[in-house]
Amino acid sequence: MAKKLTILLVYTGGTIGMIKDYKTGALKAFDFNQILKKIPELKQLNCEISTISFDEPIDSSNMNTDYYVKIAEIIEENYSQFDGFVVLTGSDTMSYTSSVISFMFENLQKPVIFTGSQLPIGELRTDAKENLITSIEVASARENGQPIVSEVCLYFEYKLYRANRTTKVNAEQFEAFASMNYPPLAESGVHLYFNEHLLFKSEDKNQQLVVRKKLDTNIVILKLYPGITKKVVQSIVGIPNLKGIVLETYGAGNAPTEKWFLELLEKTISKDVNVVNVTQCAGGSVIMGHYETSIELQKIGLVNGKDITTESAVAKLMYLLGEKLTKKEFKYHFEKSLRGEISDTNKV
Ligand code: ASP
């Protein structure tokens, strides 16, 4: 009989691992090592499941770069022993976490699937079972002895997405995530159907896995809104030791053309801060130079975030700033797809 595949479940926290205390009505974390008892269906899967749980599971609102490194190290230490990884986190910041993990792992050859749920695992109408069972199926899916998926993904409500393309869009519905600028990698119905042509494949399968753990947190998101004042922008660009700004602009990457605004940005860029232009729109791309209102941004040296999500831009900033690149190298790498997070085409 063929050897069973081995899957490591990493539980960091979030609703999926909670049960209701029926006496008090409160949700509390349960011992995740008991997962096979809670979901006996898992035994029917043709794989051996092991679990590692954070000693103190966290709500994903408390996620930070130390936890990112902790998740990455768990996967790194177990990389050779397991065929695939399923990481369970709260859904609230799952797009940020899974995006960062996608950048931290270079030359990944095995599946890393993030999932969670909107309702706790013990609830009657829970979405946790389907999300967990199908994530494990995705992590163990093989073709010709090779994993079908070899990238960081996010699975929720019958859809598998490239993690660094996702955004949490709904706080109530089971369909909590969207990937507006990249189609689902797989859909689960009667069959689990992979859109194989959309999957990310690293260029050279013989390259060693590299785990990048230096993440720089000296960044900020500056979301534009009509009426934003000089005082507000001044105080944000004046943050001590600031290294990167995700500038959330309007539409196809447009911003006010007021002199004070452009001068402040230009001064900030000249002080070695990298400013990335990312659209506030859920879908579509920044097209620098398309409108008059973005020509100046291009001239003063903003980095073109194209169709990257804000979550992924934050993750990529933390990662690239940690690599201590020159300004030119930073721009080159940011504007190019590293893990499939951005479309390579340059729209003009
Ligand atoms: N507040 C929870 C968290 O993100 C929600 C969830 O698990 O989906 O940790």
Side-chain angles (χ1 to χ4, degrees):
M1 214 172 90
K3 198 177 148 277
K4 274 194 173 182
L5 293 174
T6 51
I7 302 296
L8 182 63
L9 269 187
V10 183
Y11 177 62
T12 71
T15 305
I16 192 163
M18 303 208 148
I19 45 166
K20 203 177 217 163
D21 181 331
Y22 283 100
K23 277 193 207 123
T24 62
L27 289 177
K28 56 177 195 192
F30 83 98
D31 176 3
F32 215 77
N33 297 317
Q34 304 286 314
I35 185 75
L36 291 178
K37 281 200 194 126
K38 270 269 165 282
I39 313 186
E41 295 94 319
L42 290 176
K43 293 202 193 91
Q44 289 174 35
L45 295 171
N46 189 29
C47 52
E48 248 163 53
I49 301 165
S50 304
T51 56
I52 291 186
S53 174
F54 275 15
D55 293 337
E56 283 182 34
I58 58 162
D59 186 286
S60 79
S61 304
N62 287 321
M63 196 49 87
N64 60 34
T65 49
D66 290 341
Y67 288 124
Y68 293 159
V69 172
K70 193 166 162 178
I71 296 170
E73 285 180 341
I74 291 175
I75 298 172
E76 185 183 24
E77 280 156 23
N78 291 283
Y79 190 73
S80 56
Q81 288 105 278
F82 288 87
D83 297 303
F85 301 85
V86 174
V87 185
L88 305 167
T89 75
S91 61
D92 290 350
T93 60
M94 195 186 289
S95 292
Y96 290 92
T97 307
S98 54
S99 295
V100 176
I101 296 293
S102 79
F103 292 113
M104 292 174 87
F105 282 86
E106 199 172 318
N107 305 322
L108 187 68
Q109 304 293 347
K110 296 186 180 184
V112 176
I113 316 298
F114 277 75
T115 195
S117 67
Q118 295 279 59
L119 280 179
I121 214 150
E123 293 270 317
L124 217 47
R125 291 171 43 255
T126 188
D127 52 334
K129 283 191 184 184
E130 201 285 317
N131 286 349
L132 181 57
I133 291 169
T134 309
S135 294
I136 296 172
E137 282 199 314
V138 169
S140 43
R142 317 280 278 188
E143 199 175 58
N144 304 324
Q146 296 299 315
I148 294 181
V149 174
S150 53
E151 59 176 302
V152 180
C153 298
L154 187 154
Y155 182 81
F156 231 86
E157 192 62 5
Y158 304 107
K159 292 207 178 81
L160 180 75
Y161 302 107
R162 173 162 303 145
N164 56 34
R165 290 286 195 162
T166 62
T167 300
K168 184 167 181 185
V169 291
N170 203 302
E172 282 178 24
Q173 287 172 3
F174 287 156
E175 196 165 351
F177 289 88
S179 167
M180 294 293 288
N181 287 333
Y182 203 76
L185 304 178
E187 287 181 61
S188 153
V190 173
H191 303 288
L192 184 57
Y193 177 77
F194 288 93
N195 293 313
E196 298 215 20
H197 64 288
L198 298 172
L199 297 170
F200 186 80
K201 299 280 170 218
S202 58
E203 279 146 35
D204 183 354
K205 283 202 178 290
N206 299 319
Q207 293 272 355
Q208 274 275 314
L209 178 77
V210 185
V211 187
R212 313 256 180 202
K213 297 179 197 167
K214 281 179 265 142
L215 300 168
D216 196 324
T217 51
N218 290 300
I219 66 163
V220 70
I221 300 173
L222 172 53
K223 182 170 183 155
L224 297 180
Y225 51 91
I228 193 166
T229 61
K230 187 173 176 182
K231 242 201 238 158
V232 166
V233 179
Q234 237 165 2
S235 70
I236 287 181
V237 298
I239 295 171
N241 211 23
L242 188 67
K243 308 249 183 56
I245 301 176
V246 174
L247 183 69
E248 272 204 4
T249 55
Y250 308 123
N254 306 313
T257 49
E258 281 170 90
K259 204 161 164 256
W260 66 263
F261 178 74
L262 293 169
E263 276 176 4
L264 269 178
L265 275 188
E266 192 168 14
K267 215 166 108 203
T268 308
I269 293 171
S270 73
K271 280 194 300 198
D272 237 23
V273 177
N274 292 287
V275 185
V276 181
N277 187 354
V278 174
T279 176
Q280 303 182 359
C281 294
S285 182
V286 162
I287 313 173
M288 299 249 271
H290 189 53
Y291 287 94
E292 216 176 27
T293 39
S294 68
I295 284 183
E296 282 308 315
L297 301 181
Q298 195 172 25
K299 280 196 199 143
I300 61 178
L302 257 79
V303 176
N304 189 347
K306 301 180 191 173
D307 62 353
I308 200 166
T309 60
T310 294
E311 292 86 337
S312 202
V314 165
K316 199 168 180 179
L317 257 185
M318 287 180 170
Y319 160 59
L320 287 180
L321 290 172
E323 293 299 303
K324 306 264 181 280
L325 306 171
T326 63
K327 210 142 199 204
K328 210 167 145 202
E329 288 168 334
F330 179 93
K331 185 168 163 61
Y332 172 77
H333 284 99
F334 200 99
E335 292 183 350
K336 163 179 186 287
S337 163
L338 301 178
R339 312 279 188 269
E341 74 286 357
I342 198 169
S343 299
D344 261 332
T345 46
N346 212 352
K347 292 190 185 160
V348 274

